[in-house]
Amino acid sequence: MIDREPQGRAAKVQPMRIAGFLLGLLLMVRWGFCQALPGASSTPDSAGTPGLFVDVAPGNGVHFLHQAPHSPRKYLLETMGSGVAVFDADGDGRMDLYFVNGAPFGEFVPKGTIPQKTDPKYWNRFYHQMPDGSFEDWTEKAGLAGVGYGMGVAVGDYDNDGHEDLFVTALGGNRLYHNNGNGTFTDVTEKAGVGGSGWSTSAAWVDLDGDGYLDLVVLRYIQWDWDDVVCGSPDNRGYCHPDVFPPISMLVYHNNGNGTFTESAHKLGLDKPGKALGIAIADFDRDGHPDIFVANDSMVEFLFHNKGDGTFEEEGLEAGVAVDGEGRTFAGMGVDFSDYNNDGWPDLVIGDLANQKYACYRNDKDGNFEYDSYVTGMGGETLLHSGWGLRFVDYDNDGWKDLIIAQGHDLDTIEKSFPALHYREPAMLLWNMKGKKFVDVSAKSGDVFQQRWVGRGLATGDLDNDGRIDAVISENGGPAHVLMNRTKTTNHWIGFHLVGHKSNRDGIGAVIHIETSAGPQWYEVTTASSYLSSSDVRAHFGMGADKTAKSVEIRWPSGIVQHLENVTGDRYLQVDEPPK
């Protein structure tokens, strides 16, 4: 994550890095020149279809302000920000919001003290959506104020009772909140055995072994405590580079099916030490078993292949996703694992720091990936930006997954060293041109994409159930933003809310394939991906001019394959898993 000032890599630019930067610039110029040749980009839609997003947070009752105390000692923790969840907490069909918050630490409390939420301004916040689309703060009523310096959140129905539960990560104690089904939650961390230790970041619910219960994967960042090394000089403190700290393995909790969990990272082969910030789940080789991608900070990225025998093998280097196109590591932060070119195989996009280019990997369908940041135009569009939370969403319902990204550097003094880079950045919206290129349409998609934020977490979902996917963004030390999608379009859509019976209740891991006149699309059900955040579990497809999906195929985690024909669109359809 950190491209440091003095005592880090930002203090000096190494010759190898200069060479790599020039090579990347040369390749971008080359691709840009090729795309500018007569006929190369002459299609009418090559400029992209603009969206329209409007921030309604303050006017709709969302007054969350993230607390990130900044210490003169420059603790790494204070740069990280926190996550947000979009989910239906009480089953009323309307999406609710949960924001994770910080706490005082370091210079503000006795040395070595675990951060505590000493004032309501440090509480995590739960906002319940009312029938009129406004939100009410139900934090205290729901029992979701939280503990410690909060980081991430993951949503999943771990006990298959039909109510979405919350897992919240933090420095100072992770927490599992069981949903009571009435708008309140109970802290069951101790009983469940998932408190963990260390500095946890993103988490994901996924059924790793196909037993019908969601397991829990919890990332950890680095081995770190309050006595961490001080970087920079006494007169010019700087944030330490991640290289200063040892890596640490993730925690993996197997769901025992009785409300308890067993930590099994070593047994599963998932205990490889990393510096993990983002996680995404997909069956990348289509063998019927969910795989795990982990975005690591300033070291190789991890791709854990599910071998189908209860164990995993890390194959990032072999698959071509461990490093960028020049063979360099980068500051992996947010990640999404989804099929952006509609060929049926999940692809990867990873956010990182400015001067590194967001990493886009196309699935070759043979267990390998191609680094496509230059080919898709993403390299040139993101070179000067720092991306955290990100998600593939079809914001204009044309049948192609676009990309929305929360942005902002981690160094609040970055302009002093690099005037072309910025601490506060607008969010970015990239339009997908039929899986071949991503076009930056941010400037044409609403005033929110002109406002500079310290973006961190991002979650997506259809907040008003109008078929247009909305986004929620959290800032580091700033307010929340609820971006309602007001894009004008005549395109149609369809959404699916899966209910598993033999599979896990949420249908997480199910692969949905639809056919329209525009061609095929695939979507893998998950609440994970992005950065520290959790999104709407419902699957959404844009259908272009079609009002009906000709065919729908659902491959459930249990192995059951379900077929539907001529499914009417412009609605959310609940689909129950059949007996066989």
Side-chain angles (χ1 to χ4, degrees):
M1 178 197 66
I2 303 294
D3 213 7
R4 306 287 175 219
E5 290 183 297
Q7 199 71 20
R9 289 181 299 179
K12 298 180 189 177
V13 181
Q14 300 174 357
M16 182 178 294
R17 184 158 188 167
I18 293 175
F21 175 81
L22 291 175
L23 175 60
L25 187 61
L26 177 63
L27 287 169
M28 282 185 289
V29 170
R30 176 186 170 219
W31 280 109
F33 173 75
C34 291
Q35 291 161 358
L37 289 173
S41 59
S42 59
T43 56
D45 58 3
S46 62
T49 301
L52 177 60
F53 287 79
V54 178
D55 187 359
V56 302
N60 277 29
V62 179
H63 301 289
F64 177 77
L65 180 65
H66 180 255
Q67 301 297 317
H70 277 58
S71 162
R73 184 165 172 151
K74 296 281 189 180
Y75 286 103
L76 196 55
L77 179 67
E78 65 199 48
T79 69
M80 306 297 276
S82 62
V84 55
V86 172
F87 72 115
D88 183 0
D90 57 351
D92 63 0
R94 295 184 294 270
M95 294 295 110
D96 308 302
L97 307 177
Y98 188 72
F99 294 92
V100 184
N101 207 350
F105 66 91
E107 305 291 329
F108 310 102
V109 297
K111 189 173 182 180
T113 301
I114 297 297
Q116 300 294 334
K117 297 186 182 299
T118 55
D119 186 279
K121 72 178 181 180
Y122 297 110
W123 288 0
N124 303 336
R125 291 287 170 177
F126 171 56
Y127 292 94
H128 178 258
Q129 186 176 172
M130 307 305 290
D132 64 357
S134 65
F135 291 86
E136 285 190 358
D137 188 337
W138 282 20
T139 306
E140 195 165 11
K141 169 185 174 180
L144 290 173
V147 301
Y149 194 100
M151 292 293 295
V153 55
V155 177
D157 181 4
Y158 75 85
D159 57 351
N160 293 333
D161 67 353
H163 307 298
E164 300 294 336
D165 309 300
L166 286 177
F167 183 78
V168 183
T169 68
L171 179 66
N174 301 329
R175 287 293 184 271
L176 176 60
Y177 297 100
H178 178 257
N179 190 331
N180 300 322
N182 60 359
T184 68
F185 292 75
T186 300
D187 185 340
V188 295
T189 309
E190 185 174 351
K191 174 187 174 183
V194 294
S197 61
W199 181 351
S200 298
T201 54
S202 294
W205 291 102
V206 57
D207 183 359
L208 296 175
D209 56 359
D211 65 355
Y213 288 94
L214 291 175
D215 307 302
L216 180 61
V217 183
V218 184
L219 303 186
R220 293 190 289 183
Y221 184 36
I222 53 175
Q223 295 184 40
W224 183 87
D225 59 37
W226 297 116
D227 296 318
D228 66 324
V229 296
V230 176
C231 297
S233 66
D235 298 328
N236 187 20
R237 292 275 175 86
Y239 295 110
C240 294
H241 191 280
D243 288 351
V244 172
F245 305 98
I248 190 170
S249 63
M250 68 176 79
L251 300 169
V252 182
Y253 295 100
H254 175 261
N255 190 332
N256 298 323
N258 60 1
T260 69
F261 294 76
T262 302
E263 206 289 308
S264 305
H266 178 71
K267 177 181 177 181
L268 297 177
L270 291 169
D271 59 342
K272 184 172 183 176
K275 299 179 181 181
L277 292 176
I279 185 170
I281 309 295
D283 178 9
F284 80 88
D285 57 350
R286 292 301 187 223
D287 65 355
H289 306 293
D291 308 300
I292 301 171
F293 184 86
V294 174
N296 283 315
D297 185 2
S298 302
M299 61 174 286
V300 293
E301 313 300 299
F302 290 163
L303 176 60
F304 290 99
H305 177 236
N306 188 332
K307 297 196 293 184
D309 61 358
T311 65
F312 289 75
E313 186 174 2
E314 203 286 300
E315 299 179 354
L317 280 170
E318 294 87 343
V321 296
V323 293
D324 69 11
E326 286 77 57
R328 298 174 301 184
T329 59
F330 51 86
M333 299 184 301
V335 58
D336 202 3
F337 208 166
S338 192
D339 177 19
Y340 73 76
N341 59 355
N342 291 348
D343 67 354
W345 297 75
D347 312 293
L348 278 163
V349 64
I350 309 162
D352 52 31
L353 284 180
N355 285 338
Q356 295 182 340
K357 307 172 298 294
Y358 302 168
C360 179
Y361 298 94
R362 174 176 47 82
N363 193 325
D364 274 348
K365 310 177 189 178
D366 59 0
N368 299 306
F369 292 76
E370 291 290 334
Y371 183 79
D372 262 10
S373 293
Y374 300 128
V375 174
T376 60
M378 195 178 296
E381 289 160 340
T382 65
L383 179 63
L384 299 180
H385 299 285
S386 300
W388 300 72
L390 47 79
R391 287 273 291 177
F392 282 113
V393 294
D394 184 0
Y395 69 83
D396 59 351
N397 287 333
D398 67 351
W400 297 89
K401 298 179 185 68
D402 313 297
L403 189 62
I404 186 167
I405 311 159
Q407 301 187 132
H409 211 278
D410 58 339
L411 301 181
D412 53 9
T413 57
I414 189 62
E415 287 93 342
K416 293 180 180 179
S417 303
F418 298 94
L421 308 184
H422 301 286
Y423 177 55
R424 298 180 180 276
E425 291 191 62
M428 178 178 282
L429 187 65
L430 298 179
W431 180 76
N432 184 344
M433 191 173 78
K434 293 180 170 45
K436 299 176 182 177
K437 182 180 179 183
F438 286 93
V439 180
D440 186 354
V441 296
S442 307
K444 302 180 291 183
S445 298
D447 291 342
V448 294
F449 294 102
Q450 310 304 314
Q451 300 171 18
R452 295 183 177 274
W453 306 332
V454 189
R456 293 296 187 262
L458 179 147
T460 58
D462 188 355
L463 299 183
D464 54 0
N465 293 325
D466 68 349
R468 293 174 292 186
I469 297 297
D470 312 298
V472 184
I473 293 177
S474 65
E475 286 197 55
N476 181 60
H481 304 281
V482 179
L483 307 188
M484 299 302 295
N485 186 347
R486 306 297 191 209
T487 303
K488 295 180 180 179
T489 178
T490 58
N491 291 331
H492 299 278
W493 60 278
I494 191 168
F496 298 95
H497 179 199
L498 301 189
V499 177
H501 295 287
K502 185 176 181 182
S503 301
N504 68 87
R505 175 85 180 195
D506 285 329
I508 287 175
V511 178
I512 305 174
H513 167 211
I514 77 166
E515 289 280 350
T516 68
S517 61
Q521 295 180 60
W522 285 263
Y523 184 94
E524 194 153 346
V525 177
T526 182
T527 61
S529 78
S530 191
Y531 172 73
L532 304 177
S533 298
S534 189
S535 293
D536 187 348
V537 72
R538 296 176 298 180
H540 170 272
F541 296 87
M543 298 201 300
D546 287 16
K547 295 182 179 180
T548 300
K550 291 186 291 186
S551 66
V552 177
E553 179 187 86
I554 304 170
R555 292 186 174 271
W556 292 85
S558 63
I560 292 172
V561 180
Q562 184 175 11
H563 292 94
L564 308 172
E565 303 293 334
N566 298 317
V567 182
T568 303
D570 297 324
R571 60 173 177 152
Y572 284 100
L573 178 66
Q574 178 175 310
V575 181
D576 283 68
E577 182 179 20
K580 59 180 180 179

